[in-house]
Amino acid sequence: MTTQTTTHTEPRALRMFDMILFSVCAILLLSQVTLTAQIGPSAIVWTIVMIALFFLPYGLMTAELGSTYPDAGGIYSWIVRAFGNKWGTRVSWWYWLNVALWVPSVYLMFSVVLSDMFFPDLGFWPQVWIAMALIAVNWFVNIMTLETGKWVPNIGAVITVGVILLIGVAGIIAFTDGGSATSFAWNTDSMIPTAATAALALPIIIYNFLGFELMSSASNEMRNPRRDVPRTIVIAGVLIGAFYLISTVGMQVIMPAEEISETSGLMDALRSVFGDNLLVTLVGIGILYAFFAALIPWTIGANRAAAEAAEQGDLPPVFKKMSAKHRTPVGAANLTALVSAAITLIYGVLFSVTNGDIDSLFWSLFAFSSIVFLLPYVAMSLAFLRLRVRDPHAERPYKVPGGTVGAWTSAILVIALLVAAVFFFVWNPWIEFDATTTWLILGGLAATFIAQEVLVAMSPRWKKAHPELVDVELDGIAPDTAEGIERSYQHHSSDGGQS
């Protein structure tokens, strides 16, 4: 109990301004700019449509959940409240694993940009080893204090915004000099959405707007989470949507959409306008930093959520190991680094054997991790509806407008679009079938689901071995608050358990 008292009297590190930068850096990703621009001019319309049909309902639900249940476990805690610990195990596994899988894909993009800038003849495996080194640096930042770690994504957010604004300026310069490289016309070959462009746009653009629940994973470090979570979502969401539109239009004005490379497209666009000079080199270094920094809030959020899940006995006890000095989840951070490194090497070997290139390796890892990433949000939407019914008397500082109709409409829209995105990540009926990539994705998903059920089966053993761990009951008390901890001790004292 002494430890918990100390924890709750520690100064809280995060202001709302920090959380806005934290969210912008996590969700506004330079690695997504080229993927979005590749879609073509219809990406502009699709982005606006997805803001209305996906981001708004998703953001409203997240604001309600985050302000009503500002638990350090974030999405994990909400789902446990609604569906119990078995689903908490599944979701915490998906959530943590997707980040461990996503880390290699972004750091592989880092290695491509680095190679393009300074080492144009760098081979496949040296680029893989660069990604491995970055995984190690990410691990080090994760085990430091949040007060220290928050400055890495904050600086990254400023650089990301600066690069996107520069792309917008470059687009204006390119348009003034010679017009647009991409045709923007109101027809089905350009801007009007079609089924074929939906298959390209839905997975990427929906992915662009996910992640606002991350701030709840750091709620214990926030000064006023019930007030700041909804405000941060609104402000950060508006900024992120605007910046993605600026970057998409700018990239497509500079280069034909079909010629934009998903890994080197940013540097290609800047060089085509400004030339290969010191300014572009400095911007390229900033892009490299932003690639690295973007993953810091994701790994911090995922590792804290995994530690919370392990505290409840829903993940192996190794995940809950905390640093006594820094109050950071060192056990989860260690496992994230190990899995990321292992996946990088395994996929690297597979693509080397099949004569794949770094772009193919990036997309395979990105698509696999993205599918795993989308699954918890389906469960979160269902948890939102269930908590409205099972916990109607909880104080809700913010509530999705429209009553029951508004809640159900929001959840159904989000779930339907998430399911469509998962389908199109696996198979796009309008492009040539890539058997190698598809089977790697399906094989990875099969292994993921097998592992999750093993964890579900093992969870009762961890709780038996650690009697201080109990299932979370829905009573409006977060499992990691002082009240929740005290309730756990009282429960076990009455049952004769060890505390």
Side-chain angles (χ1 to χ4, degrees), residues 61-198:
M61 290 192 300
T62 306
E64 178 173 325
L65 289 168
S67 59
T68 306
Y69 309 106
D71 309 338
I75 195 170
Y76 157 79
S77 293
W78 305 335
I79 291 167
V80 167
R81 288 175 180 277
F83 300 116
N85 289 74
K86 286 186 177 180
W87 275 102
T89 297
R90 294 182 179 102
V91 168
S92 56
W93 167 245
W94 295 337
Y95 197 72
W96 173 80
L97 180 64
N98 108 80
V99 173
L101 295 171
W102 181 45
V103 166
S105 68
V106 175
Y107 287 162
L108 284 168
M109 183 178 281
F110 178 107
S111 69
V112 171
V113 175
L114 179 67
S115 172
D116 190 51
M117 288 174 56
F118 300 112
F119 312 104
D121 297 323
L122 196 66
F124 177 87
W125 278 106
Q127 294 181 54
V128 172
W129 290 116
I130 290 171
M132 294 283 285
L134 290 169
I135 291 169
V137 178
N138 181 291
W139 165 82
F140 176 77
V141 174
N142 261 262
I143 64 173
M144 301 300 291
T145 62
L146 190 58
E147 180 68 39
T148 302
K150 77 178 184 182
W151 289 108
V152 175
N154 282 2
I155 295 171
V158 173
I159 292 173
T160 297
V161 170
V163 170
I164 286 176
L165 292 177
L166 185 61
I167 290 172
V169 171
I172 294 172
I173 294 172
F175 184 80
T176 303
D177 289 345
S180 175
T182 301
S183 173
F184 295 94
W186 192 249
N187 56 51
T188 54
D189 293 328
S190 183
M191 296 186 70
I192 295 179
T194 63
T197 59

Side-chain angles (χ1 to χ4, degrees), residues 37 85 114 124 182 186 221 305 342 421 430 434 439 458 491:
N85 289 74
L114 179 67
F124 177 87
T182 301
W186 192 249
E221 303 290 344
W430 288 274
D434 184 343
W439 284 113
M458 291 291 293
H491 172 86

Side-chain angles (χ1 to χ4, degrees), residues 43-60 202 205-206 208-209 212 233-234 236-246 413-414 417:
I44 299 167
V45 179
W46 277 117
T47 297
I48 296 170
V49 170
M50 286 301 103
I51 288 174
L53 297 184
F54 182 82
F55 167 69
L56 285 179
Y58 156 70
L60 294 174
L202 288 185
I205 295 175
I206 286 174
N208 289 350
F209 284 106
F212 284 101
I233 288 173
V234 172
V238 170
L239 290 173
I240 288 164
F243 287 133
Y244 270 128
L245 285 172
I246 291 170
L413 277 172
V414 169
L417 290 168

Side-chain angles (χ1 to χ4, degrees), residues 235-469:
I235 296 171
V238 170
L239 290 173
I240 288 164
F243 287 133
Y244 270 128
L245 285 172
I246 291 170
S247 62
T248 299
V249 174
M251 288 286 293
Q252 292 176 356
V253 168
I254 297 167
M255 303 176 67
E258 63 273 12
E259 295 181 11
I260 297 172
S261 167
E262 57 199 19
T263 51
S264 62
L266 287 171
M267 291 302 296
D268 294 340
L270 292 172
R271 282 174 175 157
S272 70
V273 175
F274 299 112
D276 195 358
N277 52 39
L278 179 61
L279 170 66
V280 173
T281 299
L282 292 174
V283 173
I285 293 171
I287 290 171
L288 292 174
Y289 180 86
F291 282 165
F292 169 75
L295 291 181
I296 299 302
W298 283 101
T299 47
I300 288 174
N303 289 335
R304 284 176 174 263
E308 170 69 10
E311 284 288 347
Q312 301 302 320
D314 294 329
L315 283 180
V318 66
F319 278 92
K320 70 175 183 174
K321 181 180 179 182
M322 301 292 288
S323 166
K325 180 178 180 181
H326 299 304
R327 296 187 297 126
T328 51
V330 64
N334 291 344
L335 289 172
T336 298
L338 288 173
V339 171
S340 296
I343 290 294
T344 303
L345 288 176
I346 292 169
Y347 269 61
V349 169
L350 289 173
F351 272 83
S352 181
V353 170
T354 58
N355 296 317
D357 58 22
I358 204 76
D359 277 13
S360 299
L361 177 57
F362 164 79
W363 175 255
S364 181
L365 283 170
F366 174 74
F368 176 25
S369 66
S370 297
I371 294 169
V372 178
F373 173 56
L374 295 178
L375 295 176
Y377 294 96
V378 177
M380 187 198 83
S381 302
L382 295 171
F384 164 76
L385 292 175
R386 189 171 178 83
L387 288 170
R388 273 289 192 97
V389 175
R390 293 190 63 194
D391 197 18
H393 303 299
E395 180 187 353
R396 286 174 165 81
Y398 176 82
K399 197 170 183 179
V400 173
T404 302
V405 173
W408 276 88
T409 301
S410 296
I412 290 171
L413 277 172
V414 169
I415 292 169
L417 290 168
L418 287 170
V419 170
V422 168
F423 176 82
F424 289 134
F425 264 126
V426 176
W427 181 50
N428 183 340
W430 288 274
I431 64 173
E432 183 180 355
F433 179 69
D434 184 343
T436 300
T437 299
T438 300
W439 284 113
L440 280 172
I441 292 171
L442 292 176
L445 289 174
T448 298
F449 295 145
I450 291 170
Q452 86 185 21
E453 295 311 311
V454 171
L455 294 176
V456 169
M458 291 291 293
S459 179
R461 299 185 186 181
W462 301 324
K463 291 174 182 176
K464 185 176 181 181
H466 299 272
E468 73 277 8
L469 304 177

